[in-house]
Amino acid sequence: MKPLTQTSLIARIAPSVVGTLIYALSTSMALGDDVEIYLQEPPDPPAPNVLFVLDESGSMSSGSPSRRDQLVVAMRDIINDPDFANINAALLGYTTNTGNNGPLDLRALSGDFKLFDGNTASFVSQVNTIRTLGYTPTVKAMEAAVNWFRRDVVFTDSYNRTMTSPIDGDADDNWCRPNHIVLLSDGAPNSNSPTEGQAYGLTSWDGATCASDYISRWTNGRCAREIATWAFNTDLETGSGWDESQNITTHAIGFDVNTETSTFLQSLTGPFAGGGGYYPVAGNAAGGLKSAFDSILFEALENIPYAYTAPVIPFNTDNAAISGDRIYIPLFVPSATTFWKGNLKSYNIAVVDGDVVLRDALGNPVVNAAYEFISSQDLWASAADGGEVLVGGAAEQMGSTGTRNLYTNIDAALPLSNSTNVVSRNNSNITNTMMNVASNDERIALLDWITWDYTPVDANDESHEGVMGAPFHSQPEVVNYATGDVVYLPTSEGVLEAIDADTGDELWAFMPDDLLGNIATLKTNNDSTTPYYGLDGPLTTYVTDGGSRMLIFGMRRGGQKYYLLNVTNKLNPVLVKVISDSETNFSQLGQTWSKPLFVKMLIDGTEKEVLVFGGGYDEDQDDTTSRVSDDEGNVIYVVNAMTGEEEITISSSGDISVTNMNNSIPSNIKTVDLDGDALVDRLYAADVAGRIIRVDLAAGTGGVVADINAGSTDYRRFFNSPQVGYYSKGGVQFLALLIGSGNRADPLDDSVTDRFYMIKDQALWFTPSPYTAVTQSDLENATSAAVENANVLVDSSGGWYMDFSSSEKSFSQAVLYDYGVYFTTYSAIRAEDLGDCEARGANGTARIYGLNMINASAVINFTGGSNTNLTTSNRSHTLNMLGIPPSPTLVFPGEDNDGTQVIGRKVHLLVGLEKMAEWSDRFRPIYWEEVIHD
């Protein structure tokens, strides 16, 4: 019999509070895409009002195909796109009739606002009439567009057709409908200068004289910026029931325009003007115009100011980090806006009468029996927080020491603290283009805001001091230094935080250069049901044999990159490498969900320190209901831990080729050391299409060893890595692959019955040829009752499965101990009584399961009764906690007479801090180690 110990039990439990209390707490298990659980919109969302202001000038006839024809095709596409059926739209064409000095021609193509849904033929017909003549009176078009929304102005187009404001006079179920203008132009503004004999040139708006400068293209674009700013900052309806500001957000599309015109159009957007986005589109860019429209309309559908009360987010041990007797807990507050805010708090963790407890700076409890945070004073706070997430913690320190040390990677060859990489108004390397703004004044204002050096301009403006981004799914990591520990944490602000573990001060922060252009998004903070993710990916820290302190983090929904940093000098971080899908060696990289694991491998006869991670998530899976192949994420990468350079690519066409490796792998990779030499020999990975992939590194081969969707009409998905247990008894040997299914990208979906699986891999000590996949027909059904051991242990059996109920899904990796497998699930229930302008979190039920690994029988009485004569009803237990439950953890609490924490003689199974079970007097192997033997 060969040992299966990657690291021994005792080696994993260091003689400190970290190990003796909660060694499993310090392992990460990031939650899935649970935003819909926290912020659920009504089943019939209100339709946003979108006015398309379309250039009909003569230059639109240029190009091949002409810009006019490209516009017609793009408009047809969005009108017929079912994703945009709930857009309440109108079309306004603008030009001059015969030339620059001719009469203004503003044409309401579509008539009044109406839904695309049910009116597609009418809209398409009107789009087909778009003309190409005259000039580009952009300013008057903007004025007309804004006036169309106003009920205090009677707007009549050039053909004496009076248009009605889409802002309905009845506030009920209408107050939350947002208003958007989409201005498209292919040329510089003109026809706005009284010196040219025009009767409609503007020089002022709302009583203020308009700027005439290079940004406005002097007099021809004068007042356009002021009109957009007025519309964004003005509440058009202030009567009873109009709970939110009925303002107008302006977006602009520069269609094949020069730099000067691009600057003008961009100046109409952003947080200091119209609030929307600017989209430059090249005239020959295939699909570029449709892509710009898509971005704007999806934003319009998401940015709805619902009445919303944030749900309570309970304490979750999966997200915490422990060092010594300190626990560091990331927190966030769901919001119906783009930028969600968060915090990081530090507490004491200790053993009291054999139980693990959290205590604040005054020795008081931190959470109640339901794991809700109660008023406490964390170790970094100046006073009690009143139970408020955003009070105290590291957020309290944000800005308290002056301008922050915020770094970027303009020149990655230099340390991040070099002046070239410092984010500051004085760094000329950070250009207007990088910041996605039109003027230097806007650039300076945004850089001052993000570095805490900003002075609000009015009562509605906010500074950024005391604000920290939300750590949705990221987990802090603690790195020990002789001069004091540092807590690292990526957040939705788009920064990696480096927090002084003693004081809570931000030592420095790193924002990748390609996220600088999103600072305006953070500051504008529009209403939204989808947050800005920023850096929401997994974080891994490690120390190499050479003593280098390293960290690597991903972006999850925020993007398709990993960032590798050397943080050996805690105040002088160095960016080692950006691993990106734009590189040839990483071209299959998807959204970076998988946590890189630091391990050692034998590669080409040389022992190397490497990082192993899955290829990530392909967002195309968001919309699939059956198995389709992915072109991103269907890969496993092994990279050098010091350089980030690719060592091994495992894919259908990689260095190690695996047949049917067709779908993305967002989960962590399971590594196995078969012979106990501290070198990884085998990998297991689970993909979103329900396969488990095995890779035998020494043989350089791999294959699919389980496929739960083969022969099934349901589409079950894996987002967890499998747990692995070794069975050897009576001449029967196999590895048990233990995993639950559940679509993290759609946690409220109840169209599929998800399951928990025990799948046997019977080729323990040899490389199979060929690899054979266990399928549904090979598994015993353990849903209604436990199965017979004999039926599972025969070679012809592939293992067993157990159905969950309703929308129940597995969100945790399983824990294996003492013949039993333990995991938690969550059943989310979609609210059905939401009003048209109301959003709230989903209701749900959290459960813990305890199953015998071989036959799926109950192994423990979670209510504290006898463990004999257990029935099927004892297999699970409903947990007294809100939201998605944490993974089960094993703790080994103990205490010497002098109060020193040591390895105890009891083992506790916890969910959160609630003790679910206790074993005494002997240690048993855990995780994928040997669990049953002769």
Side-chain angles (χ1 to χ4, degrees), residues 627-656:
R627 179 180 284 176
V628 294
S629 295
D630 295 324
D631 55 9
E632 296 176 348
N634 50 344
V635 62
I636 299 170
Y637 290 112
V638 179
V639 305
N640 187 287
M642 280 298 296
T643 67
E645 298 298 332
E646 181 252 4
E647 294 278 1
I648 302 173
T649 295
I650 303 165
S651 67
S652 59
S653 59
D655 304 313
I656 297 178

Side-chain angles (χ1 to χ4, degrees), residues 889-924:
T889 55
L890 297 174
V891 303
F892 303 80
E895 187 174 299
D896 272 351
N897 293 332
D898 62 359
T900 303
Q901 305 299 331
V902 298
I903 297 175
R905 296 188 61 79
K906 293 184 178 181
V907 182
H908 292 178
L909 173 71
L910 302 186
V911 176
L913 298 177
E914 183 177 355
K915 183 165 62 178
M916 308 305 305
E918 178 182 281
W919 297 271
S920 300
D921 245 355
R922 67 188 182 109
F923 289 115
R924 297 174 177 86

Side-chain angles (χ1 to χ4, degrees), residues 533-800:
Y533 287 94
L535 299 178
D536 187 37
L539 167 69
T540 300
T541 62
Y542 54 96
V543 180
T544 67
D545 285 347
S548 295
R549 289 169 168 81
M550 309 289 292
L551 65 82
I552 183 170
F553 61 92
M555 304 181 74
R556 206 173 177 280
R557 286 280 190 183
Q560 294 172 240
K561 295 181 180 179
Y562 284 101
Y563 297 88
L564 179 64
L565 275 66
N566 187 320
V567 292
T568 304
N569 184 328
K570 73 177 186 180
L571 298 180
N572 265 320
V574 175
L575 178 65
V576 176
K577 183 173 178 58
V578 180
I579 298 173
S580 169
D581 63 320
S582 64
E583 294 182 86
T584 301
N585 287 350
F586 299 100
S587 60
Q588 290 174 259
L589 189 65
Q591 291 180 348
T592 47
W593 292 37
S594 182
K595 180 182 175 69
L597 303 180
F598 176 62
V599 296
K600 292 182 180 180
M601 285 184 186
L602 199 65
I603 299 177
D604 294 331
T606 302
E607 181 180 315
K608 291 188 177 182
E609 295 177 316
V610 296
L611 298 166
V612 184
F613 51 89
Y617 182 66
D618 187 333
E619 64 181 346
D620 290 345
Q621 284 287 331
D622 288 350
D623 301 317
T624 61
T625 57
S626 60
R627 179 180 284 176
V628 294
S629 295
D630 295 324
D631 55 9
E632 296 176 348
N634 50 344
V635 62
I636 299 170
Y637 290 112
V638 179
V639 305
N640 187 287
M642 280 298 296
T643 67
E645 298 298 332
E646 181 252 4
E647 294 278 1
I648 302 173
T649 295
I650 303 165
S651 67
S652 59
S653 59
D655 304 313
I656 297 178
S657 177
V658 178
T659 302
N660 293 326
M661 198 167 173
N662 299 329
N663 289 95
S664 56
I665 302 173
S667 61
N668 304 342
I669 305 302
K670 192 67 178 179
T671 61
V672 177
D673 170 18
L674 290 168
D675 53 13
D677 62 356
L679 298 176
V680 170
D681 305 304
R682 184 179 298 172
L683 307 177
Y684 288 97
D687 70 18
V688 295
R691 301 183 189 90
I692 297 178
I693 297 159
R694 166 177 158 172
V695 180
D696 293 279
L697 294 168
T701 62
V704 175
V705 293
D707 186 349
I708 64 169
N709 288 318
S712 173
T713 57
D714 288 327
Y715 185 42
R716 298 180 179 88
R717 316 188 200 204
F718 289 144
F719 281 79
N720 295 323
S721 57
Q723 187 58 274
V724 183
Y726 171 46
Y727 180 90
S728 178
K729 190 173 184 180
V732 177
Q733 291 185 330
F734 60 86
L735 292 183
L737 309 181
L738 302 151
I739 190 170
S741 69
N743 185 5
R744 292 185 178 181
D746 191 1
L748 298 182
D749 177 48
D750 60 0
S751 63
V752 173
T753 300
D754 282 299
R755 293 170 171 168
F756 191 85
Y757 297 87
M758 189 282 279
I759 295 170
K760 293 161 58 180
D761 183 359
Q762 302 186 73
L764 273 75
W765 313 119
F766 61 91
T767 302
S769 181
Y771 290 85
T772 303
V774 172
T775 66
Q776 174 71 36
S777 60
D778 301 318
L779 301 174
E780 300 289 321
N781 186 343
T783 303
S784 300
V787 295
E788 294 293 331
N789 283 19
N791 292 341
V792 177
L793 297 178
V794 295
D795 290 347
S796 59
S797 171
W800 54 260

Side-chain angles (χ1 to χ4, degrees), residues 140-153:
K140 291 304 290 186
M142 277 295 302
E143 181 182 43
V146 171
N147 285 337
W148 194 336
F149 283 93
R150 299 172 64 178
R151 292 201 292 127
D152 62 333
V153 173

Side-chain angles (χ1 to χ4, degrees), residues 14 78 114 330 733:
I78 63 170
K114 49 184 174 285
Q733 291 185 330

Side-chain angles (χ1 to χ4, degrees), residues 434-436 493 511 514-523 532:
M434 292 176 65
M435 294 293 293
N436 197 23
E493 189 187 8
M511 174 178 280
D514 53 358
L515 298 187
L516 294 173
N518 295 328
I519 295 175
T521 298
L522 300 176
K523 187 177 189 308
Y532 172 71

Side-chain angles (χ1 to χ4, degrees), residues 401-449:
T401 56
T403 303
R404 76 197 303 191
N405 298 316
L406 180 61
Y407 307 138
T408 189
N409 55 311
I410 294 174
D411 189 341
L414 298 171
L416 296 181
S417 57
N418 184 277
S419 59
T420 302
N421 292 320
V422 172
V423 177
S424 164
R425 60 152 57 191
N426 299 318
N427 188 349
S428 60
N429 296 296
I430 302 176
T431 64
N432 293 353
T433 301
M434 292 176 65
M435 294 293 293
N436 197 23
V437 296
S439 71
N440 195 52
D441 288 343
E442 292 175 292
R443 168 190 165 274
I444 288 173
L446 289 176
L447 291 175
D448 285 352
W449 182 81

